[in-house]
């Protein structure tokens, strides 16, 4: 799932530096090192792997304070005879422990301040609350268990020795996150829908304006467990960097890291499948010919988001694993009317339109720019061999979103063509023999006339063998166009 901090999408968070604005203050060496490590861990994030989340517009950061006042391990001890590297190690372990404590507090707050009052005041039904909050209640004892284990590791001098075995043995418990994260797709959709009701909107607004919320909305709190999950590998890597050779953790930390990375990958995979199924169910086909088998066979989404066509109409575009689907949002929430003919990724052609270049006549320029400015952030997709599928010229909101779309489309095209080729070989073993034929032998060619006729009938020679042999060449050609 790629690994963001508290913000389902996704770029690395940015923080404004105050260096040079706040006067220098002398700080004891022990606390100075601790503070730097704490900041390093708090602000660092990693990109999620597949499946990606929806493409969103980048918005200006809120001026509200969203983080607690952080405390370093060095703030809890007066002095200690430790090396700088060991101090860093203790800081990271302390950050891990404090993160568990804060997560437990936040999840308990969500239950007390949001779930219970909304149920008692009949703002939402018990069934609706169950869909929105999912299995969040079961995660609290899970993290209380880890916090208890970590606190027991702290010695009388407030230092932790060996932490690897504890984490390695506890991380498999995070398999419970699969159910919670898979439910989040539908939970977010239902919450957005219920926010349109006045009593729900008013209650959530009052909560967000209260001091206990730290100006976070309900969804920020519901997304905290996932944000915490993807932070564990980061924390473990930091502990590894600060662990000296021949330390008892030298062997167990890599084992713990492998366990948590496997858990995160599995959660990402299952969540991607749930997201794909959710949006597939929301597609409304206007013609039966739009129901491509590639849509139903897709297991995940590369990305989805809003684009404009060459008439200036806003479309919601889904790039599934095996098909590109253009839609228009329906009146009902999270339902989408399929627009024109979907395109199989294996047959896609992609072309970037340079900024300022008109395309397809004056309508493109006029719709995208109002007839005055240059055309920007556009690209074109078309399909090979599909008579009903006309080329689609699309415009992203900005250059950043455009690059995301192009990157995802390139990946989808190459992987779909390779998948098509591999499937063709598995379905038709005889084709592998044809590929190895000596074309100079008339006898061999005569013996395989029937097989060649069958290949022509199934149209597998062009879409299977050719693409398998030339998929890398096609990718290079595609890149040279862009």
């Amino acid at each position: 799932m790629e690994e963001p901090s508290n913000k389902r999408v996704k770029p690395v968070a940015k923080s404004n530096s105050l260096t040079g604005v706040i006067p220098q203050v002398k700080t004891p060496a022990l606390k100075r090192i601790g503070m730097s490590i704490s900041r390093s861990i708090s602000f660092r994030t990693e990109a999620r792997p597949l499946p990606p989340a929806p493409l969103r517009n980048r918005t200006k950061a809120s001026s509200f304070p969203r983080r607690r006042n952080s405390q370093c391990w060095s703030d809890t001890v007066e002095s200690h005879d430790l090396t700088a590297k060991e101090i860093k190690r203790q800081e990271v372990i302390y950050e891990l422990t404090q993160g568990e404590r804060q997560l437990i507090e936040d999840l308990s707050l969500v239950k007390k301040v949001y779930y219970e009052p909304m149920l008692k005041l009949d703002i939402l039904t018990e069934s609706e609350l169950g869909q929105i909050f999912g299995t969040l209640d079961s995660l609290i004892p899970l993290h209380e268990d880890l916090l208890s284990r970590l606190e027991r590791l702290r010695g009388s001098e407030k230092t932790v020795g060996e932490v690897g075995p504890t984490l390695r043995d506890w991380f498999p418990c995070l398999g419970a996150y699969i159910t919670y994260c898979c439910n989040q797709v539908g939970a977010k959709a239902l919450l957005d829908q219920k926010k349109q009701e006045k009593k729900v909107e008013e209650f959530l607004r009052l909560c967000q304006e209260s001091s206990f919320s730290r100006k976070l909305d309900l969804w920020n709190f519901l997304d905290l467990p996932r944000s915490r999950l993807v932070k564990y590998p980061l924390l473990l890597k930091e502990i590894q960097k600060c662990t000296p050779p021949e330390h008892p953790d030298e062997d167990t930390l890599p084992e713990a890291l492998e366990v948590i990375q496997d858990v995160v990958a599995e959660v990402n995979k299952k969540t991607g499948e749930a997201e794909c199924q959710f949006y597939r169910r929301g597609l409304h086909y206007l013609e039966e010919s739009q129901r491509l088998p590639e849509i139903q066979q897709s297991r995940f989404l590369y990305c989805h988001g809003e684009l404009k066509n060459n008439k200036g109409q806003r479309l919601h575009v889904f790039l599934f694993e095996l098909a590109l689907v253009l839609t228009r949002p329906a009146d009902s929430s999270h339902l989408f009317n399929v627009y024109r003919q979907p395109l199989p990724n294996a047959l896609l052609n992609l072309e970037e339109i340079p900024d300022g270049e008109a395309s397809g006549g004056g309508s493109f320029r006029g719709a995208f720019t109002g007839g005055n400015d240059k055309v920007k952030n556009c690209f074109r997709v078309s399909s090979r061999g599909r008579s009903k599928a006309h080329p689609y010229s699309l415009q992203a909101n900005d250059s950043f979103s455009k690059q995301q779309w192009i990157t995802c489309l390139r990946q989808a095209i190459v992987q779909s063509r390779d998948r098509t080729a591999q499937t063709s070989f598995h379905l038709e073993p005889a084709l592998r023999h044809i590929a190895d034929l000596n074309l100079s032998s008339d006898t061999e060619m005569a013996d395989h006339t029937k097989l060649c006729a069958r290949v022509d009938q199934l149209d597998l020679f062009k879409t299977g063998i050719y693409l398998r042999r030339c998929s890398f060449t096609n990718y290079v050609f595609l890149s040279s166009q862009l």
Side-chain angles (χ1 to χ4, degrees):
M1 231 176 180
E2 307 151 262
E3 301 173 349
S5 63
N6 180 25
K7 3 176 215 298
R8 193 159 182 234
V9 295
K10 5 203 207 172
V12 176
K14 297 182 180 179
S15 60
N16 295 325
S17 174
L18 297 179
T19 304
V21 177
I22 299 177
Q24 294 287 336
V25 180
K26 292 185 178 180
T27 307
L30 184 64
K31 291 190 177 182
R32 186 166 61 250
I33 294 174
M35 291 166 64
S36 64
I37 296 303
S38 178
R39 295 191 188 103
S40 173
I41 297 299
S42 297
F43 286 113
R44 195 171 305 166
T45 59
E46 286 185 357
R48 286 181 65 193
L50 290 175
L55 298 175
R56 294 190 178 97
N57 296 335
R58 291 175 293 175
T59 56
K60 184 178 179 180
S62 172
S63 59
F64 293 120
R66 295 197 174 200
R67 298 176 62 247
R68 293 183 175 93
N69 293 327
S70 59
Q71 184 184 43
C72 305
W73 171 81
S74 52
D75 294 329
T76 67
V77 295
E78 295 182 0
S79 61
H80 211 291
D81 186 19
L82 295 176
T83 65
K85 193 171 186 178
E86 182 58 31
I87 293 174
K88 292 181 182 180
R89 175 181 158 86
Q90 294 301 322
E91 292 289 358
V92 181
I93 296 174
Y94 187 77
E95 165 75 10
L96 172 63
T97 305
Q98 288 298 98
E100 292 302 304
R101 181 174 286 107
Q102 292 172 3
L103 179 63
I104 294 168
E105 291 174 358
D106 284 336
L107 298 185
S108 301
L109 180 143
V110 169
K111 180 181 178 182
K112 181 179 180 180
V113 175
Y114 287 95
Y115 183 94
E116 293 177 357
M118 293 177 85
L119 181 62
K120 290 179 180 178
L121 298 174
D122 290 327
I123 295 176
L124 292 175
T125 67
E126 186 173 3
S127 174
E128 290 169 338
L129 289 170
Q131 293 179 59
I132 291 172
F133 288 82
T135 58
L136 182 139
D137 206 26
S138 67
L139 302 182
I140 297 176
L142 192 68
H143 289 278
E144 287 176 337
D145 178 42
L146 177 58
L147 178 60
S148 176
R149 297 189 190 195
L150 292 173
E151 288 180 331
R152 287 199 298 267
L153 295 178
R154 269 190 115 180
S156 58
E157 297 180 343
K158 298 184 178 180
T159 59
V160 175
E162 191 176 4
V163 72
T166 297
L167 297 176
R168 178 196 60 197
D169 296 342
W170 181 82
F171 279 147
C173 299
L174 291 173
Y177 269 62
I178 293 177
T179 302
Y180 181 78
C181 291
C182 287
N183 179 72
Q184 278 193 301
V185 182
K188 182 66 165 63
L190 179 58
L191 180 60
D192 289 343
Q193 179 182 344
K194 303 305 291 186
K195 281 182 179 179
Q196 305 304 314
E197 299 179 8
K198 185 176 180 180
K199 61 179 181 179
V200 176
E201 186 276 332
E202 185 176 358
F203 176 84
L204 295 178
R205 178 179 55 80
L206 291 174
C207 287
Q208 187 172 357
E209 292 174 354
S210 302
S211 58
F212 63 79
S213 72
R214 306 193 306 279
K215 303 304 178 182
L216 299 173
D217 63 20
L218 174 57
W219 184 251
N220 290 136
F221 283 107
L222 294 177
D223 198 43
L224 285 175
R226 184 198 58 79
S227 300
R228 183 64 181 170
L229 175 66
V230 299
K231 198 171 184 179
Y232 286 121
L234 292 171
L235 291 167
L236 244 66
K237 289 176 183 178
E238 289 296 325
I239 296 174
Q240 269 190 299
K241 291 178 183 178
C242 306
T243 301
E246 300 181 2
H247 190 282
D249 274 341
E250 186 179 14
D251 294 329
T252 54
L253 281 177
E255 295 173 357
L257 181 60
E258 183 178 358
V259 173
I260 186 58
Q261 287 176 333
D262 288 344
V263 171
V264 172
E266 184 66 14
V267 172
N268 276 335
K269 177 185 174 183
K270 295 298 184 182
T271 304
E273 292 174 356
E275 182 183 33
C276 183
Q277 292 173 8
F278 176 81
Y279 285 113
R280 274 207 320 250
R281 290 195 299 266
L283 296 178
H284 175 63
Y285 299 95
L286 303 180
E287 298 179 14
E288 193 62 30
S289 61
Q290 294 175 328
R291 295 180 180 273
L292 296 184
E294 288 88 349
I295 299 175
Q296 296 303 317
Q297 294 167 7
S298 293
R299 299 165 297 174
F300 59 84
L301 276 164
Y302 283 99
C303 60
H304 66 93
E306 185 180 278
L307 295 171
K308 290 182 181 179
N309 64 6
N310 61 345
K311 296 179 181 179
Q313 298 170 328
R314 296 183 183 274
L315 305 176
H316 197 98
V317 182
F318 295 91
L319 181 56
F320 289 97
E321 179 191 12
L322 301 176
L324 179 70
V325 183
L326 283 65
T327 71
R328 288 174 174 169
D331 294 334
S332 301
S333 179
H334 296 280
L335 291 179
F336 302 89
N337 294 322
V338 177
Y339 174 76
R340 302 291 178 84
Q341 183 66 22
L343 307 179
N345 293 344
L347 300 178
L348 276 180
N349 288 323
L350 172 64
E351 177 188 356
E352 182 176 5
I353 301 174
D355 290 350
E357 179 181 305
S359 174
S363 61
F364 188 100
R365 178 181 294 275
F368 283 165
T369 67
N372 298 319
D373 302 325
K374 294 181 179 179
V375 176
K376 293 182 179 180
N377 310 317
C378 302
F379 59 92
R380 183 186 298 108
V381 290
S382 58
S383 180
R384 297 176 294 125
R386 296 277 177 143
S387 58
K388 289 188 177 181
H390 301 288
Y392 302 134
S393 297
L394 302 168
Q395 183 185 39
N397 292 326
D398 52 39
S399 58
F400 178 79
S401 296
K402 173 186 175 180
Q403 191 55 50
Q404 279 191 306
W405 277 104
I406 288 178
T407 300
C408 290
L409 281 164
R410 284 176 177 172
Q411 185 178 10
I413 290 170
V414 173
Q415 292 188 358
S416 293
R417 290 177 181 177
D418 287 345
R419 185 179 187 272
T420 300
Q422 293 169 7
T423 303
S424 299
F425 270 80
H426 288 307
L427 292 176
E428 298 293 328
L431 294 180
R432 285 174 293 194
H433 187 52
I434 295 176
D436 296 330
L437 286 178
N438 181 354
L439 297 182
S440 62
S441 171
D442 294 337
T443 303
E444 288 182 345
M445 290 301 294
D447 291 340
H448 292 84
T449 301
K450 294 182 180 180
L451 282 175
C452 290
R454 187 182 184 192
V455 169
D456 291 336
Q457 181 181 3
L458 295 174
D459 196 27
L460 289 173
F461 188 81
K462 179 170 64 176
T463 61
I465 298 174
Y466 175 77
L467 290 176
R468 184 183 179 114
R469 286 178 172 176
C470 302
S471 59
F472 179 76
T473 304
N474 288 343
Y475 180 71
V476 172
F477 175 72
L478 175 63
S479 300
S480 67
Q481 285 185 317
L482 300 177

